[in-house]
Amino acid sequence: LAGYNEGNKAKRRAIMDILRIEHLSKIYGEGDTEVRALDDVSFTVPKGQFVAIIGPSGSGKSTLLHILGGVDTPTDGHVYVDGTDITTLDETALAIYQFYNLIPILTVEENMTLPLLLDDKKVDRAHFDSLVQVLGLQHRLGHLPSELSGGQQQRVSIGRALMNNPAILLADEPTGNLDSKNSKEIVELLRQFNKALNQTVIIITHDERIALDADRVIAVEDGKIVKDEVIRQ
Ligand code: ADP
């Protein structure tokens, strides 16, 4: 019975993990030019966690991001999102969203709803309205991206990413080309969604300051995890 209970516990844990990465490796090139961009990386993320993945340039962050985002395939290993192995799916089946640039000739509302419309999915008005409210974009819905501040543009792309209730919000250097006031604001906004919707957020960044706002920091170097620290539960 003890063994049975242990098994059940393991199963429950597995179900709660929104992301499970198992022995992930990515090798570029071969022979003399071989580069192990990811070298046997394994970790799990429980639903609702706010994770920062940090590492210096060349450590493998982009490679990990591309594999998680479904635009690249691993040499070895598996990535399970909500129990489904995404390494065997084509990218359209993914429930992970990144920040993409906004389309300049479309309004805020059109930018936010376009991915759903392109997928032939219905726009959930109530969900849209509540996102717009939290993002503070009520009075900007008819504006073009060029008529918004940098911070507001980032809000629109966060909103667009959240329209589809993604299993994981994958943020690639969300602060990249913003000033530090805006970047703080964006991270706080991500935190707000993380709390309000129990939205799992993974930020991939080289900025240590962002890591301080996360629940957990995973540091990568030379394609390996060198630190994995839970800061707050
Ligand atoms: P980061 O995003 O942390 O800067 P990357 O994932 O871009 O790191 O790169 C990790 C390592 O893999 C680096 O040594 C880089 O030079 C190498 N690399 C990345 N992409 C390729 C590629 N397409 N071909 C060969 N090597 C690559």
Side-chain angles (χ1 to χ4, degrees):
L1 191 62
Y4 173 81
N5 277 337
E6 280 311 303
N8 261 357
K9 252 192 239 162
K11 209 186 229 168
R12 267 202 303 279
R13 264 201 307 276
I15 290 169
M16 276 164 49
D17 288 331
I18 200 85
L19 176 67
R20 189 151 46 93
I21 293 182
E22 287 181 354
H23 304 294
L24 199 63
S25 292
K26 178 72 180 184
I27 299 171
Y28 292 110
E30 50 187 61
D32 285 352
T33 60
E34 181 181 294
V35 176
R36 279 180 187 269
L38 292 176
D39 191 359
D40 196 19
V41 169
S42 298
F43 62 92
T44 60
V45 175
K47 182 166 166 54
Q49 200 168 48
F50 193 110
V51 184
I53 297 179
I54 61 165
S57 176
S59 55
K61 299 185 302 295
S62 308
T63 304
L64 181 61
L65 180 86
H66 293 152
I67 293 173
L68 291 180
V71 294
D72 201 354
T73 51
T75 308
D76 264 310
H78 294 277
V79 176
Y80 298 91
V81 175
D82 219 357
T84 303
D85 187 350
I86 63 162
T87 54
T88 60
L89 296 177
D90 56 0
E91 68 181 279
T92 53
L94 281 177
I96 299 180
Y97 288 86
Q98 295 171 238
F99 295 99
Y100 291 105
N101 292 328
L102 300 174
I103 297 171
I105 57 164
L106 297 183
T107 64
V108 165
E109 178 163 354
E110 288 163 346
N111 265 287
M112 279 179 67
T113 54
L114 183 71
L116 286 181
L117 298 177
L118 287 178
D119 272 355
D120 260 335
K121 287 188 185 147
K122 240 186 109 221
V123 173
D124 177 344
R125 276 330 281 194
H127 183 51
F128 175 79
D129 289 343
S130 72
L131 284 178
V132 164
Q133 203 75 31
V134 183
L135 290 162
L137 291 169
Q138 309 90 302
H139 307 298
R140 294 287 179 275
L141 292 180
H143 286 58
L144 296 174
S146 60
E147 298 165 336
L148 304 175
S149 70
Q152 285 171 331
Q153 290 179 22
Q154 282 287 350
R155 285 163 178 264
V156 178
S157 68
I158 292 173
R160 179 178 48 187
L162 290 171
M163 277 300 289
N164 218 2
N165 295 311
I168 298 167
L169 181 61
L170 187 62
D172 176 18
E173 300 272 5
T175 58
N177 38 26
L178 291 172
D179 60 44
S180 58
K181 180 173 160 285
N182 271 335
S183 55
K184 186 101 190 123
E185 197 186 301
I186 296 300
V187 174
E188 274 163 17
L189 200 60
L190 289 173
R191 171 56 89 182
Q192 213 175 314
F193 279 111
N194 164 250
K195 287 267 173 280
L197 308 172
N198 199 27
Q199 172 70 52
T200 312
V201 177
I202 299 179
I203 296 183
I204 298 192
T205 181
H206 67 270
D207 189 342
E208 305 251 352
R209 288 169 309 167
I210 288 182
L212 296 175
D213 292 316
D215 294 329
R216 173 181 177 193
V217 178
I218 297 175
V220 288
E221 257 175 59
D222 284 335
K224 294 191 189 70
I225 294 179
V226 292
K227 190 177 82 177
D228 186 349
E229 231 169 27
V230 174
I231 301 174
R232 48 182 82 79
Q233 292 288 345

